[in-house]
Amino acid sequence: MTTRIKICGLRTPQDVATAVACGADDIGLVFFEKSPRHLTLDAAAELALTVPLGVRKVALTVNPTDEALDTLLARVPVDLLQLHGHESPDRVAEIRTRTGVPVMKAVGIGDAEDLEALDAYMAVCEEILVDAKPPKTAVLPGGNGLTFDWRLLQGRSWSVPWMLAGGLRPSNVAEAIRLTGAPQVDVSSGVESSPGVKDADMIRDFCAAVRSV
C-alpha cells in the first residue's frame, strides 16, 4: 500500500505545483496568525484554485470559533478540516456535525500516557493526526520540527485512518514509516529552508524517501 503524503503550510502557487509534481496527495493550508505559514482568506482562496482535482485541500485551524469556521468555509473550498488545538472530543463532534466537513484531529504525543486520548478522538472524527507534543512554552501547536518516540505506536490498532507528523524530514521519514507502519505522513518545517519558506529540493527528497519504503 502506498503511503499518502501531506505537505503542510504551503503559501505560494509554486509551492503547490512542486508538491503536486512530486506526488503529494494532500495540500495543507494554515489558518493560525501566530504561524509563519498563516494565510489570509483571500490568499488561501486563490491558492486553493491552483490545487488540481484529486489532491485534498486540508485547512489547519487552532481552536476555531463557529464564526471563524463559517467564514473560512464560505471563502475557501476545502476537503478536510484539521483541528490542531485543544478541541475536546465533544467540540470535534460538534464541528463535524455543524459544518458537514470531514475532520482530522491532531493529537500531541510525548509519552505513553498521551496515547489514551487517541481512542476518544477516533470515535468522533474521520481521521487522526499523531503529532509530537509541543513544549509548554511553544507558540505553535505543531510545525516545531520535534519528533517523539515512534515505537510508542508499534502494534497499535486504529479504527480510523491516521497520519504521522512531528519532526519528519527527508532523512528520517523512511525510518518513521518502517517503525510505525504509518499509512500517511505529514511534513511542514522538515521541507523548509527557513520558517514558512518551502524548499523545492527538500520537498522532492521527502517525497522520494516516502516512495522508497
Side-chain angles (χ1 to χ4, degrees), residues 82-160:
Q82 178 178 331
L83 303 179
H84 217 110
H86 299 292
E87 301 90 358
S88 67
D90 285 345
R91 176 59 176 157
V92 172
E94 180 183 12
I95 289 173
R96 180 186 179 197
T97 299
R98 188 175 185 278
T99 65
V101 178
V103 169
M104 176 167 64
K105 178 67 180 87
V107 179
I109 303 297
D111 54 39
E113 292 183 359
D114 295 321
L115 296 174
E116 296 177 5
L118 291 174
D119 289 333
Y121 283 111
M122 283 194 286
V124 293
C125 63
E126 278 75 17
E127 299 191 27
I128 288 287
L129 185 141
V130 184
D131 200 356
K133 193 173 186 176
K136 292 181 179 180
T137 57
V139 174
L140 304 179
N144 293 298
L146 302 175
T147 61
F148 64 96
D149 186 354
W150 298 318
R151 292 171 298 179
L152 292 170
L153 302 180
Q154 289 180 331
R156 183 177 181 87
S157 61
W158 304 86
S159 58
V160 299

